[in-house]
Amino acid sequence: MATNSRDHSSGSSKYKPRQERFSVQQTLELLGLIDGDNSDLEDLSDNDDPILDVNYQPPPQEQSSSEDEDDSSDDEDPIPQPTEHSRGRKRLRGANNGSGSGSGTGSSRTPRRRRQTQQIEADRSDDYSEEPTPGPSTQGQPNKGRGLRWRATPLTPDLAQFVHEDDTELDRNGWTPLDYFEQYIDRDLMKMISDCSNAMSLSRSGDPLNTSVDEVYHFFGACILMSCIRYPTIRMYWSKALRITAITDKFTRNRFFRLRGSIKVLIDDDVPEDLRKRDKFWKVRPFLDRILQGCKSQNRPESIDEQMIPFTGACPCRQYLPMKPNPVGIKNFVCATADGIVLDFDLYQGKGALLEQVEEEEVGLGLGGLVLARLCQTLHRGTKVYCDRFFTSIRCVEQMMKKEMYITGTIMKNRLAGAKEKLASDKTMKNTGRGTSSELSTEDGKLCVVKWYDNKPVLMMSVVHGTEPEDTCQRWDKKLKEYVTVSRPSIVREYNLKMGGVDLIDRMISYYRMSARTKKWTMRMLMHFTDLALANSWLLYRKDLAICAAPKKSIMQFLEFRTEMAMTLLAQHHGQGSDADLSKQSEEEDNSNQGKKRSVTAVPHVSVRRRANAHLPEMISLKNAARCRVAGCTGRTRVRCVTCKVFLCLQGDRNCYTAFHT
C-alpha cells in the first residue's frame, strides 16, 4: 500500500501540470464559440474519435465544393496533395506520445480514422490519375513528355523521302592522296598561313620570319612524318645517329622550332573586339572553317557524338570528361557517317554560343538538344540521325521530327515520364532471361520506346525503328563460359551499325597523332584538325577504291597513306626559283663528291618528276655508264635529268626518259 500511495502521489504530481492545458476538443469548442456558430459543437463533443490533427478541416459541404474546384482549376498543378493530413497526424502523434495524454479509446480508434482518410485520398487520386500532367525538368530537358499517352502497340513510322545525292566516287577516279588531302588543306590556306606568319613575326619581334609557301608545306610534311616515325624527343630527328634526311634536308633544327612557334592563320590586329568575345577560338577560326568546308562537301548520312582534343595547358575552353580516354582537353561535337567520315563539327564554347546558332523554338531543348539542332542544320530532309543518351529527349525528338530529321538513340530513364511505369520492370525482364524486350508507342504511332535486357536493361527511343523484325546475336555467358544466342530488336541492330562513326575517326586519329609537346593551344588545334583531315582523306580513299572493286593489296593502309602524304608535302616546290635552286644544290653536291665513290641519288617524288618545266636531259662524261633508274630497266646510260639528277635511257628503242616523267 505504501508503494501504491507513493506511485499515486508521484503520478498525481506528474499529471498536475497537464490538467492546466486545453485538449484539442476543448480548443475547437472555444474556437466555435468565438466564431458564433455552435451548430457542430454537439457533433464534435459526441464524436467517439478524437481529432488528433490541429490542421484538420471538416470535409467540404456542397456549397463550398464549387469554390474548391475553382481554386484548384487556377492552380498550376491540378493534382491534389493528399498527404498533407497524414503529415499533420504524424506530427501530433509524436507530440501526444511524448506528453502521455490521450485516452485509451482514442488511441484504439485512431487507425480506423486513418484508414477512412486514406480511402478518401485514394479515391481522389484515382479521379486525377487519368490525365498526366507535365512535371519538372531534369538534365536540362524542359519537357519530358508527360502529356503523351503510351500504348503497347508497334511503331508505325511516317517518314519523308530521303533526298539522295549524286554519287561522286567516279569523279574522284585516279585521285592521288594529295588530291584527297587538298579537299581540306589546299594551297590557298598554306599561302594565308605563310603571309600571316610573316606579318605577325615582323610586327611582334621586328625580326622577319621570311617563310614561304613551300616551307609551310615542308613544315606540315615534317610533322606528319614525325607522327609516323616516333622518337622520344623532336631533337633526335636531327641527331647524327638517328637523323631522317627527308626532314633534315629541308630545314635545320632551330629553323623548325622557330616555325613551330611562329605559325599563324590570321593577323590578330585585324580581328574586332566583339568577335574575340563572341568566339573563343578566333585565333584558329580560318583554319577550322577551311576544314569544315571540306567536311560539308561529303555525302550526308550520319551519327552524332563528341570527341576530345587532348590538351592539358591553358586554353579558352578546357573540359574534363573522366570517362574519355583523354579526359582533359577541348570538347568537339562531331557529326560523322557510319564509315567514320566527318561531315560537320562544332567546338564547345558554352551553352550561350549554341543558343546564337539555333532557331527560337529550339532554345529550350537543353545542351544535348541544342548540339543536335546545330549539327542537323547541314543535313538533308529525311535524314536518319543516331546519337547517344546525352542528346536524346522526347522534346528534342519531336522538334527534329517537325524538321523531317528522324532520331534514334539511347535515352535516360528519367526522361521517359509516363512510359517508364508502363514498361516491364527490370526484375521481371531479368527473370525472363536475356533477349527480353518491351515496346511502347504513342497514340499516333510515330514515336516508340524499346526496353531490351542484355546484361542489363537498355532503353532506346526512335521514330524509325521498333522491335520488329527481331534477329539474333551472339553474347558471352559468364556462367556457361560460352557464347549464347540472344534475341535482338531491330532498333538495337540498326543503332549498333550506324553509331560507331565518331568512335572510328577517333581511333584512326589516335593511332598516329601529332602529339609533340607544346604549350600553345593554337598549335594543338592545328595539329589535331590536320590529323582529322588525313583520317577523313584516307577513309574516303579506301571507300572509293572499295566501290571500284580494287584489289585489297593495292589499297594503302593508313600508315602508308600518311607517309606518302608526308613525302608529298616535303617535296612540294611551287616557287619560281625552286627548280633552279634544286639544280644548283645538286651541282654543288656533285662538285663536293668529286674524287669519291659516286653516291646513289634517291628517286624524287612523283610530284616533282611530273612537273612539265625544267626536266631537260644532259650528257655526263663518265668512264662507266650508270644504271637506268626506271623500274624494270636493266640498261646503262650516260644521260641524266638536270632537275631530278637520275640517269635514264634515252634511245630510239628504249625511251625511259619520257616514261619516268609521265
Side-chain angles (χ1 to χ4, degrees), residues 384-454:
K384 300 175 184 178
V385 184
Y386 298 84
C387 55
D388 61 18
R389 65 177 191 170
F390 175 78
F391 306 92
T392 313
S393 66
I394 293 179
R395 180 175 178 183
C396 181
V397 172
E398 291 177 339
Q399 184 65 32
M400 291 297 104
M401 193 160 39
K402 294 177 182 178
K403 296 186 174 183
E404 297 181 341
M405 303 288 175
Y406 305 113
I407 309 299
T408 299
T410 55
I411 188 170
M412 302 180 189
K413 62 182 180 180
N414 61 346
R415 297 182 182 178
L416 285 177
K420 181 174 63 174
E421 289 77 11
K422 294 186 178 181
L423 289 168
S425 64
D426 297 350
K427 185 176 181 180
T428 302
M429 301 184 79
K430 184 177 181 180
N431 294 334
T432 306
R434 298 176 68 175
T436 307
S437 61
S438 176
E439 180 181 5
L440 292 177
S441 62
T442 54
E443 286 184 325
D444 55 6
K446 295 182 179 180
L447 177 64
C448 78
V449 175
V450 176
K451 185 176 184 180
W452 179 56
Y453 192 88
D454 189 16

Side-chain angles (χ1 to χ4, degrees), residues 545-600:
L545 291 186
I547 292 175
C548 296
K552 289 186 177 180
K553 293 184 177 179
S554 64
I555 301 176
M556 289 186 288
Q557 297 296 319
F558 188 42
L559 177 60
E560 186 181 357
F561 186 90
R562 288 181 68 99
T563 306
E564 178 73 12
M565 271 306 311
M567 300 305 296
T568 303
L569 296 181
L570 285 168
Q572 290 296 309
H573 293 282
H574 295 89
Q576 296 180 355
S578 300
D579 297 318
D581 295 340
L582 182 61
S583 301
K584 184 177 179 181
Q585 180 181 0
S586 301
E587 291 176 1
E588 292 176 354
E589 292 176 356
D590 292 342
N591 295 333
S592 63
N593 292 333
Q594 287 182 357
K596 301 179 182 179
K597 185 177 180 180
R598 186 168 67 245
S599 60
V600 179

